[in-house]
Amino acid sequence: MLRNMDATSPKSLDLSAIVWRQPNGSPVACREKLKVLTENLEEIRQCCQDALEDAVLMGCEEGQVREVFEAIVRSIHNPYAKGD
């Protein structure tokens, strides 16, 4: 669940406002886990920002770059999923 998010503003996603859920639906409460999750997302956001800027400077169409980023996220495999 996300709070305080305006999808039109690039910096509007407050990563600390994300309520992380366990598979049973209960919230993740461990502060250290929440800190690691937030740090990971900050790193991902910065990496994507850098890659977007590089692509646009090299003449790529921004919308296509974003579509590729989304496809990459959708293609990530969960190695811990049951049944794999």
Side-chain angles (χ1 to χ4, degrees):
M1 177 193 300
L2 300 172
R3 296 174 288 168
N4 303 326
M5 183 178 149
D6 173 7
T8 61
S9 176
K11 295 270 186 176
S12 63
L13 180 56
D14 179 2
L15 300 177
S16 65
I18 297 171
V19 177
W20 292 100
R21 301 269 175 207
Q22 298 179 51
N24 67 7
S26 63
V28 173
C30 174
R31 290 179 193 236
E32 191 59 32
K33 290 179 182 180
L34 296 171
K35 178 182 174 186
V36 169
L37 289 165
T38 299
E39 288 172 354
N40 287 344
L41 289 178
E42 288 170 349
E43 289 178 31
I44 291 167
R45 177 169 36 200
Q46 188 59 55
C47 184
C48 288
Q49 181 66 47
D50 293 345
L52 176 67
E53 290 173 12
D54 288 347
V56 170
L57 287 172
M58 290 185 277
C60 296
E61 198 276 316
E62 178 182 346
Q64 181 186 18
V65 176
R66 291 178 184 276
E67 288 174 9
V68 171
F69 290 172
E70 291 173 11
I72 289 170
V73 170
R74 285 190 300 272
S75 73
I76 295 171
H77 171 73
N78 175 2
Y80 307 109
K82 293 180 181 177
D84 283 356

